Amino acid sequence: MSNRPELLAPPEIFYDDSEARKYTSSSRIIDIQARLSERALELLALPVDGIPRLLLDIGCGSGLSGETLTENGHQWIGLDVSQSMLNIALEREVEGDLLLGDMGQWLCNADKSSHEPRLRLKAFFGSLYRCLARGARAVFQMYPENIAQRELILRSAMHAGFAGGVVIDYPHSAKSRKEYLVLTCGPPSLSTAVPRGKGEDGESCSEDENSEENQMVCISDRNRPKKKQKITRKGKGRDWIFKKKEQLRRKGNAVPPDTRYTGRKRKARF
């Protein structure tokens, strides 16, 4: 994990002039960005009617992904926090319009005690939901550091009003595995069903191959009624306490460890 840029510096510092040129000139990066962009377009499921769409490229960098959008006949607006990246995009004369803006630094990373990933994600998905028309779709290629981080991202999107889930391509490959957050603006319906990920042969994964992943990462209906907590006459039981503590841990709160004394009723006297 040491090569993750968010662990080294804030984005506008990490992607300076030197790093931006190094990134853009790498043939490997160019190929990866082209394939990721093609897959994102596929997951967007745009109508095949020959009409160009206006797309928002969040974290557009030097415009490598934007070139794929242009080649597919679409117009696009690119947003990035790194001025160095945008300068190179201007030098390369990309077709899209470019904006310098911050979508929330590294959304899930905290560089200071005042940084709160949960609030960053809430603001990001909330503002994105307000920008999109009902039924519009958004696709994000992401690298969650762990399951808790993935669930935090999904929960934030769900609370903002989105339906959807995560599509995982090549789930059994450590090198080729890619995760895409596929969201639709509005409540779940038949048209908002999440596509299946690709397997090693490039075809859609079977139910057996992807069942475990789907159970772990799909977003459920935000309007689904919650199960009632079973409360005994003596109060909330140990299971409820363990569940509540786990929810607080996922939110990033400091929670005391579970012990054999957790949830045990104290005696009236020592």
Side-chain angles (χ1 to χ4, degrees):
M1 291 296 181
S2 60
N3 59 345
R4 296 177 71 100
E6 65 268 29
L7 302 181
L8 301 178
E12 72 278 11
I13 296 177
F14 179 84
Y15 287 112
D16 55 14
D17 291 344
S18 174
E19 189 67 28
R21 292 191 181 281
K22 178 182 176 182
Y23 182 92
T24 308
S25 62
S26 170
S27 58
R28 173 177 168 273
I29 293 296
I30 293 174
D31 178 64
I32 290 175
Q33 284 295 327
R35 286 189 282 112
L36 292 178
S37 301
E38 289 286 357
R39 179 59 168 150
L41 281 173
E42 181 182 345
L43 294 172
L44 276 176
L46 298 172
V48 185
D49 53 12
I51 300 176
R53 261 63 186 188
L54 177 62
L55 305 178
L56 175 61
D57 186 358
I58 302 175
C60 65
S62 56
L64 295 178
S65 54
E67 288 184 339
T68 300
L69 303 181
T70 299
E71 291 170 359
N72 281 270
H74 300 295
Q75 299 174 347
W76 57 280
I77 298 173
L79 171 71
D80 203 274
V81 71
S82 171
Q83 183 66 64
S84 297
M85 280 288 199
L86 294 177
N87 288 340
I88 293 180
L90 290 172
E91 291 177 10
R92 300 175 65 245
E93 298 182 347
V94 296
E95 295 292 330
D97 295 327
L98 304 174
L99 297 172
L100 177 65
D102 177 15
M103 69 171 185
Q105 294 280 329
W106 306 116
L107 285 172
C108 294
N109 192 63
D111 296 314
K112 301 178 182 177
S113 58
S114 60
H115 292 172
E116 177 53 69
R118 181 177 57 84
L119 296 180
R120 285 178 174 175
L121 288 163
K122 179 181 178 181
F124 172 71
F125 284 115
S127 61
L128 179 65
Y129 188 87
R130 292 189 293 272
C131 291
L132 297 177
R134 188 176 184 86
R137 181 170 283 193
V139 176
F140 302 90
Q141 201 274 312
M142 61 180 190
Y143 296 95
E145 192 170 357
N146 48 50
I147 294 176
Q149 195 174 91
R150 181 195 294 132
E151 291 178 348
L152 175 62
I153 295 171
L154 288 171
R155 188 164 55 249
S156 299
M158 181 177 63
H159 287 168
F162 286 102
V166 169
V167 175
I168 302 179
D169 287 349
Y170 315 110
H172 306 299
S173 172
K175 184 177 180 180
S176 301
R177 178 188 175 103
K178 294 292 183 294
E179 298 190 21
Y180 300 86
L181 178 61
V182 182
L183 302 175
T184 303
C185 192
S189 65
L190 291 177
S191 62
T192 64
V194 180
R196 292 184 184 179
K198 292 184 178 181
E200 296 301 328
D201 56 359
E203 300 297 329
S204 296
C205 292
S206 65
E207 290 288 349
D208 293 337
E209 288 179 306
N210 227 14
S211 58
E212 181 179 353
E213 297 288 355
N214 285 336
Q215 291 173 9
M216 181 169 55
V217 303
C218 283
I219 292 181
S220 58
D221 187 348
R222 65 191 288 265
N223 298 315
R224 186 178 64 184
K226 296 181 179 179
K227 293 182 180 179
K228 294 182 179 180
Q229 296 286 351
K230 186 177 181 180
I231 302 177
T232 64
R233 293 181 180 179
K234 297 182 180 180
K236 299 182 173 92
R238 295 189 74 203
D239 291 341
W240 182 90
I241 294 174
F242 287 135
K243 184 177 180 180
K244 196 67 176 178
K245 291 176 73 175
E246 184 60 28
Q247 290 176 349
L248 292 174
R249 289 192 185 99
R250 291 178 179 177
K251 293 180 180 179
N253 297 331
V255 180
D258 297 334
T259 68
R260 61 177 179 172
Y261 301 106
T262 300
R264 180 181 294 185
K265 184 179 180 181
R266 295 186 178 184
K267 294 182 180 179
R269 60 184 178 81
F270 290 104

